Amino acid sequence: MAEPFDIVVIGAGPGGYTAAIRAAQLGFKTACIDDWSRAGGKPAPGGTCTNVGCIPSKALLQSSENFEHAQHTFGDHGILIKDVAIDVAKMLARKDKVVGQNNDGILYLFKKNKITFLHGRGSFAGKDGDAWKINVEGPSAAEITAKHVIVATGSKPRALPGVAIDNDRVLDNEGALAIPEVPKKLGVVGAGVIGLEMGSVWRRLGSEVTVLEALPTFLGVADEAIAKEALKAFKKQGLDIRTGVTITRVTVKKDGVDVDYTDAAGAAAKVALERLIVSIGRVPHTDGLNAQAVGLALDERGFIAVDGDCKTNLPNVWAIGDVVRGPMLAHKAEDEAVAVAERIAGQHGHVDFNTTPWVIYTSPEIAWVGQNEQQLKAAGVAYRAGTFPFLANGRARAMGDTTGFVKMLADAKTDRILGLHVIGPFASELIAEGVVAMEFGASSEDIARICHAHPSLSEATREAALGVDKRTINI
Ligand code: FAD
Ligand code: NAI
């Protein structure tokens, strides 16, 4: 048998490939196994995020936003374009190219860091003394051993009971990113992150989009004021969002899908669609790991059970990312990856979910970090809030993108920032200031006194901070 590795990582999504790189940087002899393939059989490291998640969805969001601007907002700038049209095949090919560039980038990083990449499915095959035996099936078939194993096998879409995904009429995230032509009527089950992002893409390209959400409230994970503003904006754009529905039947036909449901008032209703996206959450992916045979414990929801340090119940077996508890976000997986590699090296890796930012890449973008007003009220925390609308921000006006606002929440006694909530242009970028501020234990007064460039969107954050003390300048 070949020389043992110090660390084997199973899965090369943002969790797995980041863990492998950090482990190699720390001097460990490292291997990373991943089973994702591109057309033609070439490996496609990067996991859900790179192949059918973050990267392709943002590529399509950008393309569709450009199309929307060309149609509806360029005219305001005096840019007159006639006959704007969308070439869906070209848009999808561009998205695939962007994905391929990211796959190749990860293969390059493996090489650069002298990581052994094995293309195939990894599974536990027992122990050899203190070391774990890992079997690899596929193009790089092998049996390898390692002292430490980091499981980063990610997640897969949750299915609607009794409704098969065919990625033709009924689509999961993979199908939603590859619809070959703009459907006239598109349905989305679940008004969560994927539903809103993918619903926005196809709505901008011309689909009539109906979103069917089980919960009575819209975007309950966000701050209530943010969710209210988002709902207003999405409705204005034409997204038909129906909350409080119960799907009773999905009938797939040759040329469409009928969805029967009961509406919020309990009345029977039906909607006839060309295609239906099902985006009702994701479940941990542990298939084929042979976890049971080696006694790897799962929790009651099927996630690999880990402690606060990402240690499983088995010695020297760690698990990170979507396959364990906590938010299913690429940057959360990456942070756990670095922390685990550093813990194996005897360092003190640290991940704080309270400062993990959330972003929804719709237009307006939505982003938050820390706690929202509902959570603070429920916890009985006394707080002060400051808000500032983009309508009063010079840069937003110049951009012609004035929907939304920034809201800062700070402890009433200590003034420590407890949450930052943004809906509006580049919320995904603005939120970083909130993360830094919270990590440094900043007060709203700190942000209010820091010089922010003019004219910039970040001035809205400073004004929200001033608003905590009721002394905004520009409103
Ligand atoms: P994954 O990325 O799922 O990677 C796991 C890898 O392990 C996969 O390649 C899988 O094939 C492989 N694997 C599984 N089992 C085995 C095995 N036994 N042997 C070998 N390989 C195996 N998050 C964000 O933060 N921002 C976003 O904008 C964002 N957008 C998203 C959009 C969509 C449509 C979706 C679906 C998700 C999005 N996410 C986003 C979530 C993000 O993709 C996940 O949180 C992230 O990919 C989790 O990383 P991971 O490394 O834990 O798992
Ligand atoms: P989600 O958890 O964000 O939303 C699922 C929605 O479906 C919820 O609103 C839920 O109430 C609803 N739902 C559940 N069962 C239903 C049913 N039977 N009928 C109707 N509605 C139902 O999950 P989603 O959108 O599938 O995304 C999965 C995860 O992927 C996200 O939670 C997030 O972690 C990650 N993601 C992150 C992105 C980002 O960071 N920008 C983008 C896309 C996904």
Side-chain angles (χ1 to χ4, degrees), residues 31-53:
C32 185
I33 309 165
D34 191 89
D35 59 0
W36 210 299
S37 303
R38 297 179 226 192
K42 216 176 149 194
T48 303
C49 170
T50 301
N51 292 296
V52 292

Side-chain angles (χ1 to χ4, degrees), residues 289-423:
L289 261 181
N290 206 21
Q292 231 174 346
V294 288
L296 181 64
L298 307 184
D299 69 16
E300 62 288 350
R301 294 188 302 150
F303 290 92
I304 295 177
V306 287
D307 66 10
D309 285 345
C310 291
K311 276 188 184 143
T312 70
N313 65 315
L314 300 177
N316 297 337
V317 177
W318 311 72
I320 57 170
D322 279 12
V323 79
V324 304
R325 84 284 172 269
M328 286 185 166
L329 296 171
H331 41 283
K332 174 264 193 184
E334 290 165 8
D335 283 6
E336 286 182 335
V338 169
V340 163
E342 292 180 353
R343 281 175 199 134
I344 293 172
Q347 300 179 7
H348 297 280
H350 174 73
V351 181
D352 181 0
F353 291 163
N354 193 42
T355 49
T356 303
W358 278 84
V359 179
I360 308 178
Y361 294 82
T362 44
S363 178
E365 288 189 349
I366 300 166
W368 68 86
V369 59
Q371 289 170 289
N372 59 40
E373 279 206 62
Q374 310 87 280
Q375 288 166 333
L376 293 175
K377 278 181 189 148
V381 177
Y383 64 92
R384 295 193 299 168
T387 57
F388 190 81
F390 285 108
L391 198 60
N393 173 274
R395 181 76 190 279
R397 281 200 205 120
M399 290 166 65
D401 198 353
T402 52
T403 304
F405 56 87
V406 179
K407 173 170 172 176
M408 186 176 284
L409 302 170
D411 189 283
K413 272 200 208 105
T414 65
D415 194 34
R416 190 180 177 127
I417 298 171
L418 301 174
L420 187 73
H421 305 265
V422 187
I423 177 166

Side-chain angles (χ1 to χ4, degrees), residues 10-17 33-36 44-58 118 120-123 152-156 173-174 177 193-194 197-198 282 285-289 320-323 327-334 357 359 361:
I10 307 180
Y17 84 76
I33 309 165
D34 191 89
D35 59 0
W36 210 299
T48 303
C49 170
T50 301
N51 292 296
V52 292
C54 325
I55 301 301
S57 61
K58 267 78 254 180
L118 299 160
R121 175 152 285 243
S123 59
T153 48
S155 64
K156 57 186 182 181
N173 55 297
E174 192 164 348
L177 289 159
V193 196
I194 296 179
E197 290 188 355
M198 296 318 299
R282 295 177 65 82
H285 181 41
T286 53
D287 318 341
L289 261 181
I320 57 170
D322 279 12
V323 79
M328 286 185 166
L329 296 171
H331 41 283
K332 174 264 193 184
E334 290 165 8
V359 179
Y361 294 82

